[in-house]
Amino acid sequence: MKKIKSSRPRVALALAGGGPLGAIYEIGALCALDESLIGLDFNQLDHYVGVSAGGFIAAGLANGMSPRELCAIFIESGTTADEVFDPAWLMVPAYSEFARRSVMLPMLAASAWWRWAIGGKSLTSSIERLASALPTGVFSNDEVDKHLAQMFSCAGRSNDFRQLKTRLTLVATNLDSGEAVPFGRTGWDHVPISKAVQASSAMPGLFPPVEIDDAYYVDGALKKTMHASVALEEGVDLLLCLNPLVPFDATAPQLAADQADTPVFDQRKIPRIVDGGLPAVLSQTFRSMIHSRMELGIKGYERAYPDTDIVLIEPDHRDPELYLANTFSYGQRRHLAEHAYQQTRVLLRSDKSDLARKLLRHGIELNHAVLNNPRRHLAPAPPAPTTLGRAMARLHDVMDELDQALEPGPRQAR
């Protein structure tokens, strides 16, 4: 049986990808964890590992941005114009890629015609010559590098891996070799953090590969789902993993809403995945593939690093809310982040997988006063329509805070 650590534990955080939806889930979950865990500061961890969308969050945390600050930037409207991340940036057509490929088209068309008319090749074989004119990505993600570079240039932050106070690793995949590249490690730490995030999140087919030092890079999830081994190899006592994408289990029965610590799921039913057509089938297939790979990876980590406690946080497989999400709606993003926040609180209260026991070994306790407070939300509720209503709402909040302050037990200094 593992003993409680007497010295300060080495803690790492690994964040998987999942597109805008993945970032939204991870922000909501991190906000719940940050306020509910006594003895853990998410801005003072020993190592942050980010892949794809998880790279956005990992880079922000390593730069001293709290989960609540990340929520303001990625989910809300931000505090300034320079601190707003708009997913619409990811929908800008890749005009430069279209132009570069279109220049090649006349020569390729002539070559295809020559092969067919003069060379005696089949029509199918000749048309294949035109494949090089197809764009490598539909949308441009250059805005990711541009805006994150501005964000990390603010006072107290850095766009340089070498100037960070902690360890940050952002994983991308070298397109030509198929090998994972850990930006932030020695030999790869000269690349700007914003450029590494862009490369790590360049999903093939959706975004063109990102050129860095005469090589091209795409999404880091091609090789592994989470790449947590990057932190484990350097030695940590506790590894927290967040994975936002899980396959949906449409065969599971709906949980009773009146059971204690039971999440109340969206009442929209998904009786069969096939009823959702091709998008639903592809989504379920993709989720199942990456989750199966991640499960095998976690089991391998536990065998290879028996002295490290590994905690995995992810959505409930029976919850259709995240499966049916539209992440390009501002209102929907706020709702989904709140949903992830509340479901993570449910997970902490239910103490699944001996979570509390694992954390306690490293001096980390659950703040039950926070977890059991039903009035806590990720974003404040809209103000009451009348002066009296607003005053009464504020009075309720003050009384609730007073009640927590008077309740005995450990408190987290903030």
Side-chain angles (χ1 to χ4, degrees), residues 192-234:
I193 295 174
S194 57
K195 180 63 71 173
V197 172
Q198 180 190 7
S200 180
S201 59
M203 183 179 295
L206 192 62
F207 303 111
V210 177
E211 184 178 5
I212 299 175
D213 296 340
D214 297 325
Y216 288 89
Y217 299 90
V218 294
D219 198 311
L222 264 67
K223 193 73 175 181
K224 292 181 182 179
T225 302
M226 193 169 290
H227 289 278
S229 58
V230 173
L232 290 168
E233 289 169 359
E234 296 189 359

Side-chain angles (χ1 to χ4, degrees), residues 8-15 30 40-51 54 57-63 161 164-171 181-186 189 226-242 308:
R8 177 185 177 275
R10 296 166 298 170
V11 183
L13 175 67
L15 301 173
L30 283 169
L40 185 65
D41 187 336
F42 278 91
N43 290 123
Q44 295 185 6
L45 304 185
D46 295 270
H47 201 155
Y48 300 86
V49 180
V51 179
I57 315 304
L61 292 171
N63 259 291
F161 285 100
L164 295 176
K165 297 178 181 179
T166 186
R167 199 90 162 106
L168 170 65
T169 304
L170 303 174
V171 184
V181 175
F183 291 111
R185 276 190 163 183
T186 303
D189 53 1
M226 193 169 290
H227 289 278
S229 58
V230 173
L232 290 168
E233 289 169 359
E234 296 189 359
V236 292
D237 301 306
L238 174 64
L239 174 66
L240 300 176
C241 303
L242 265 67
T308 300

Side-chain angles (χ1 to χ4, degrees), residues 105-406:
L105 187 57
M107 184 64 71
L108 291 172
S111 175
W113 178 85
W114 181 270
R115 286 170 58 87
W116 173 68
I118 307 300
K121 301 294 183 180
S122 66
L123 181 61
T124 301
S125 175
S126 300
I127 292 177
E128 288 177 353
R129 302 281 292 181
L130 301 177
S132 298
L134 294 175
T136 57
V138 178
F139 302 108
S140 171
N141 62 353
D142 290 338
E143 294 295 310
V144 171
D145 178 27
K146 174 184 174 182
H147 288 278
L148 287 183
Q150 293 177 353
M151 194 179 301
F152 295 151
S153 65
C154 297
R157 302 174 191 168
S158 177
N159 200 30
D160 190 330
F161 285 100
R162 296 164 294 190
Q163 295 181 6
L164 295 176
K165 297 178 181 179
T166 186
R167 199 90 162 106
L168 170 65
T169 304
L170 303 174
V171 184
T173 303
N174 185 304
L175 184 61
D176 291 312
S177 68
E179 294 300 318
V181 175
F183 291 111
R185 276 190 163 183
T186 303
W188 301 100
D189 53 1
H190 66 285
V191 177
I193 295 174
S194 57
K195 180 63 71 173
V197 172
Q198 180 190 7
S200 180
S201 59
M203 183 179 295
L206 192 62
F207 303 111
V210 177
E211 184 178 5
I212 299 175
D213 296 340
D214 297 325
Y216 288 89
Y217 299 90
V218 294
D219 198 311
L222 264 67
K223 193 73 175 181
K224 292 181 182 179
T225 302
M226 193 169 290
H227 289 278
S229 58
V230 173
L232 290 168
E233 289 169 359
E234 296 189 359
V236 292
D237 301 306
L238 174 64
L239 174 66
L240 300 176
C241 303
L242 265 67
N243 172 53
L245 296 185
V246 298
F248 176 68
D249 186 359
T251 65
Q254 179 71 47
L255 297 177
D258 58 349
Q259 292 178 358
D261 290 333
T262 294
V264 181
F265 295 144
D266 193 320
Q267 294 304 309
R268 293 174 293 175
K269 303 294 184 181
I270 307 179
R272 295 181 303 179
I273 298 295
V274 71
D275 293 339
L278 180 61
V281 172
L282 291 179
S283 176
Q284 183 77 332
T285 301
F286 175 73
R287 288 164 177 261
S288 299
M289 291 174 60
I290 64 173
H291 193 264
S292 174
R293 185 174 61 174
M294 188 208 64
E295 284 184 319
L296 291 175
I298 293 292
K299 292 179 180 178
Y301 296 153
E302 291 174 340
R303 289 193 299 268
Y305 304 94
D307 294 330
T308 300
D309 279 318
I310 300 175
V311 174
L312 175 63
I313 305 293
E314 61 182 6
D316 195 301
H317 292 251
R318 301 161 295 175
D319 185 357
E321 189 75 8
L322 297 174
Y323 187 79
L324 298 172
N326 171 20
T327 58
F328 288 95
S329 164
Y330 263 117
Q332 184 77 345
R333 288 204 303 276
R334 293 186 64 183
H335 169 72
L336 292 172
E338 177 72 28
H339 184 76
Y341 170 82
Q342 296 296 350
Q343 295 310 317
T344 304
R345 284 165 49 83
V346 169
L347 173 66
L348 294 174
R349 287 197 300 267
S350 62
D351 193 22
K352 292 183 179 179
S353 303
D354 297 324
L355 176 60
R357 179 177 54 81
K358 284 185 177 182
L359 295 175
L360 186 59
R361 283 203 291 263
H362 306 280
I364 303 170
E365 301 179 56
L366 296 180
N367 190 331
H368 294 286
V370 169
L371 286 173
N372 295 326
N373 182 359
R375 294 192 180 93
R376 295 195 73 94
H377 295 278
L378 180 62
T386 66
T387 303
L388 178 60
R390 287 193 294 271
M392 292 299 296
R394 179 56 185 158
L395 178 61
H396 278 293
D397 291 340
V398 171
M399 293 299 295
D400 184 65
E401 293 172 3
L402 179 61
D403 179 66
Q404 292 182 47
L406 295 177

